Amino acid sequence: MSTVEQETQARSNGAGAKTIPVTNKATGELIGHGPDLDREQIGELAARARKAQPAWDALGFGGRAEVMNALRRWLVANSDRLIQTISDENGKAWEDGQLELFYTADALSFWGKRAKKYLKDQSFHPHSPFLIGSKVILRYRPYGVVGVIGPWNYPLINNFGDAIPALMAGNAVLLKPSSITPLTSLLVAEGLREIGAPEDVFLVAAGSGGTGTALIDYVDMVHFTGSTETGKKIMAQAAETVTPVTLELGGNDPMIVCADADLERAANAALFYSMQNGGQTCISVERAYVEEPVYEEFVAKVAERARTLRQGVPAGPGSIDIGAMTMADQADIVERHVRDAVEKGAKVVAGGSRNERGGGIFFQPTILRDVDHSMEIMKEETFGPTLPIMRVRNTEEAIQLANDSQFGLDSSVFTKDRDKGEQIARRIEAGATVVNDCMTNYFATEVPIGGIKQSGLGARHGPMGIQKYCHTHNILVTRFAPKRSPLFFPHDKLTTKVIGGFIKLLYGRGGRRKA
Ligand code: NAD
């Protein structure tokens, strides 16, 4: 997309003169501009979204699903342009961009079909003796205007991708993408305009971190994906107005390789899931624990393959394996973690250094051995193309080390014994675990996935992945409505005693365990 087109889009999204230049992260070239909206402009966007929302809600699940399906077809029809935009503004390989399209197209279809089922009214006959004959209805109502704040590492999946269930629930959405990767979100907004979607139900609130701060004050609910540090600030700000938040934050995902694992598969998976997207995936493998008998063989396999990876400027399908680092600050963290590990005794068996080429920032695919938990790389989120591999005596030690973390996002276990794999998985402190693969649970959209500990609050996917964009509304319809209920005023001794007798009768006995 040309700079001129981007500026037009920026204006149509409410931007005035202020814009932020966007570069191709692998070459440093200027490729467009994103709006840099201020507080007043965010207020205007929120007012437009608020006005558009009731009609969008009234369209119903079927009407909204039609819009989602039309957008899905538009994204696929424009896939080359979309993937190019993602790849350019992020610096990632074509295949990493294509994965974003795959997830998003699937999510549009999934939420289009499932939203109604997950949000349908439920009726209950309450068990309480006070409510005999009554009917209770549980409804899910959209909050109104939802703010989605997204990171730079997945400009489509973790930005518009999280807006899909919010929209299907009947909300209008203000999406705040990262200031360094706003073009993909603007392209989705263009797609919605082209398919004739109702105006103002999805608006891109692009700008800096300050734009995000303003947005929180104008919306009814915030879904945030980004660093743990920013997530804490957002939670604190939202607390001022008791605005609900869900947080998808950082991770330091462990991989456990048992001595009985298929080492060939484990090594291939370790390499791919630590390096894909330049290692800049929240659920990428950040550290591996390998049982002693297979440690040397595993390290040798991974290191040998890491040295064959092609890194460089993405130039279409199949051109490279690993792209650029998207942010200079992130490359600094990667460099610091590798240096710290080496100073404390780790050995680099592949890569190990920064690799500037042209205007892009690259970090070589890096494999470290002889690491331990005194090192930052094992304790913090590195978010780069690195894999530290630690030798462990047995699976007990591996589980204990995997759980020795402030984070708890995804995790993985490799063993040929699937039952054993499941038992180990059950003991890992994380929001998700995969046996004999990694990350793929992100595509199981029927099941919630989210972080525990400092990796987040709430989850995406499954029923709760859309119910979180709604408040519940409990409607009780009383069937027997005499003039006076035993609970009404005035209190009298006899009624109180009768109720007391009932309490004793109903709850004073039973429930004891048999010896
Ligand atoms: P970040 O926290 O720096 O920024 C995320 C977004 O928040 C950006 O749009 C940014 O402009 C905005 N922002 C910054 N300060 C703000 C503030 N005070 N108020 C409101 N908005 C503000 O994160 P990042 O560097 O863009 O992304 C990388 C991080 O995201 C990594 O830690 C990664 O693990 C995490 N991440 C998590 C998931 C997940 O699902 N758990 C997915 C992708 C990325």
Side-chain angles (χ1 to χ4, degrees):
M1 195 180 307
S2 74
T3 304
V4 176
E5 272 179 86
Q6 281 307 324
E7 278 168 354
T8 311
Q9 288 203 15
R11 273 195 300 280
S12 74
N13 272 277
K18 265 180 86 186
T19 55
I20 301 175
V22 182
T23 56
N24 177 322
K25 304 305 181 291
T27 63
E29 277 168 67
L30 179 72
I31 51 168
H33 285 84
D36 187 11
L37 303 188
D38 60 24
R39 180 167 283 274
E40 201 185 324
Q41 289 169 310
I42 292 295
E44 285 163 14
L45 283 196
R48 278 165 55 189
R50 206 165 285 290
K51 201 162 160 223
Q53 188 269 333
W56 176 243
D57 185 24
L59 200 56
F61 291 109
R64 293 195 292 274
E66 274 177 31
V67 175
M68 297 297 130
N69 286 325
L71 180 66
R72 172 172 52 73
R73 291 189 295 270
W74 189 91
L75 292 177
V76 174
N78 289 275
S79 58
D80 281 357
R81 190 172 157 213
L82 180 72
I83 295 169
Q84 190 73 58
T85 305
I86 296 171
S87 172
D88 285 353
E89 69 173 347
N90 175 278
K92 65 175 72 182
W94 184 271
E95 287 70 15
D96 293 327
Q98 183 162 268
L99 196 70
E100 295 216 49
L101 169 64
F102 170 65
Y103 171 88
T104 308
D106 186 62
L108 283 161
S109 166
F110 176 82
W111 291 114
K113 285 190 202 122
R114 294 292 178 103
K116 188 175 178 182
K117 178 178 165 200
Y118 290 154
L119 299 181
K120 73 169 188 262
D121 285 2
Q122 293 171 51
S123 286
F124 301 87
H125 292 292
H127 77 285
S128 171
F130 273 129
L131 301 174
I132 287 171
S134 305
K135 181 174 83 171
V136 187
I137 301 157
L138 167 65
R139 302 171 75 203
Y140 291 97
R141 299 297 305 131
Y143 276 114
V145 180
V146 165
V148 173
I149 304 179
W152 48 259
N153 62 327
Y154 280 90
L156 186 60
I157 292 183
N158 292 141
N159 285 270
F160 181 71
D162 285 329
I164 300 167
L167 288 165
M168 271 310 297
N171 296 285
V173 172
L174 294 191
L175 170 65
K176 152 75 181 86
S178 167
S179 57
I180 61 170
T181 56
L183 304 185
T184 305
S185 300
L186 290 167
L187 187 54
V188 174
E190 182 189 322
L192 280 162
R193 276 194 298 277
E194 271 194 25
I195 61 161
E199 264 186 33
D200 294 344
V201 295
F202 173 76
L203 290 163
V204 181
S208 61
T211 310
T213 309
L215 178 122
I216 295 164
D217 291 338
Y218 284 104
V219 296
D220 305 310
M221 187 266 172
V222 178
H223 172 85
F224 171 77
T225 305
S227 64
T228 298
E229 195 188 342
T230 309
K232 288 178 186 174
K233 286 186 200 155
I234 285 172
M235 196 171 171
Q237 188 188 336
E240 294 294 318
T241 46
V242 199
T243 300
V245 289
T246 48
L247 305 172
E248 302 285 351
L249 309 177
N252 187 18
D253 294 1
M255 171 184 195
I256 294 176
V257 181
C258 299
D260 65 353
D262 176 341
L263 269 208
E264 199 59 24
R265 176 168 176 84
N268 285 333
L271 190 67
F272 178 70
Y273 291 111
S274 62
M275 304 292 166
Q276 68 79 231
N277 213 45
Q280 303 174 118
T281 299
C282 55
I283 51 174
S284 62
V285 174
E286 285 251 331
R287 50 197 170 117
Y289 301 96
V290 183
E291 278 195 276
E292 191 127 47
V294 293
Y295 182 77
E296 294 300 337
E297 193 183 343
F298 181 82
V299 170
K301 279 182 191 291
V302 177
E304 185 195 315
R305 280 157 218 194
R307 288 185 218 110
T308 67
L309 293 177
R310 296 162 305 152
Q311 186 174 40
V313 176
S319 56
I320 54 152
D321 299 310
I322 303 180
M325 297 281 320
T326 312
M327 271 197 3
D329 289 358
Q330 199 61 49
D332 292 345
I333 294 171
V334 176
E335 201 164 24
R336 197 185 77 222
H337 284 187
V338 171
R339 195 184 324 116
D340 169 77
V342 170
E343 279 168 11
K344 289 173 179 160
K347 290 187 189 65
V348 175
V349 288
S353 56
R354 216 165 157 135
N355 188 7
E356 310 274 341
R357 324 166 173 203
I361 302 161
F362 294 83
F363 201 94
Q364 294 175 321
T366 296
I367 310 296
L368 296 170
R369 60 170 294 160
D370 302 337
V371 291
D372 62 46
H373 272 220
S374 69
M375 301 167 186
E376 287 175 349
I377 203 161
M378 300 300 278
K379 303 287 278 182
E380 307 290 333
E381 182 182 56
T382 304
F383 221 55
T386 56
L387 182 64
I389 310 174
M390 181 168 174
R391 183 195 303 263
V392 289
R393 286 188 304 278
N394 48 42
T395 48
E396 282 310 307
E397 188 184 13
I399 294 167
Q400 182 248 316
L401 289 165
N403 292 341
D404 177 24
S405 175
Q406 60 183 312
F407 299 110
L409 202 52
D410 211 340
S411 47
S412 55
V413 185
F414 282 75
T415 164
K416 281 187 188 143
D417 180 342
R418 283 189 298 190
D419 290 338
K420 176 175 135 188
E422 195 182 318
Q423 291 317 312
I424 294 172
R426 285 175 184 276
R427 293 177 59 197
I428 296 180
E429 294 166 8
T433 308
V434 189
V435 179
N436 290 330
D437 209 342
C438 314
M439 271 194 219
T440 41
N441 39 12
Y442 202 90
F443 294 94
T445 30
E446 301 76 7
V447 187
I449 184 167
I452 62 165
K453 300 184 186 173
Q454 296 203 26
S455 288
L457 190 65
R460 39 169 88 86
H461 301 165
M464 71 191 286
I466 188 162
Q467 288 165 357
K468 73 182 183 188
Y469 291 120
C470 300
H471 68 84
T472 53
H473 186 192
N474 166 329
I475 300 174
L476 187 141
V477 182
T478 305
R479 188 149 304 163
F480 303 118
K483 299 260 178 278
R484 186 171 178 273
S485 144
L487 296 179
F488 288 0
F489 293 131
H491 292 317
D492 73 80
K493 209 167 171 179
L494 179 65
T495 313
T496 305
K497 286 211 156 195
V498 170
I499 293 174
F502 268 124
I503 293 172
K504 276 193 192 136
L505 194 69
L506 288 173
Y507 308 114
R509 298 169 305 150
R512 283 203 188 97
R513 276 211 191 137
K514 288 199 179 124

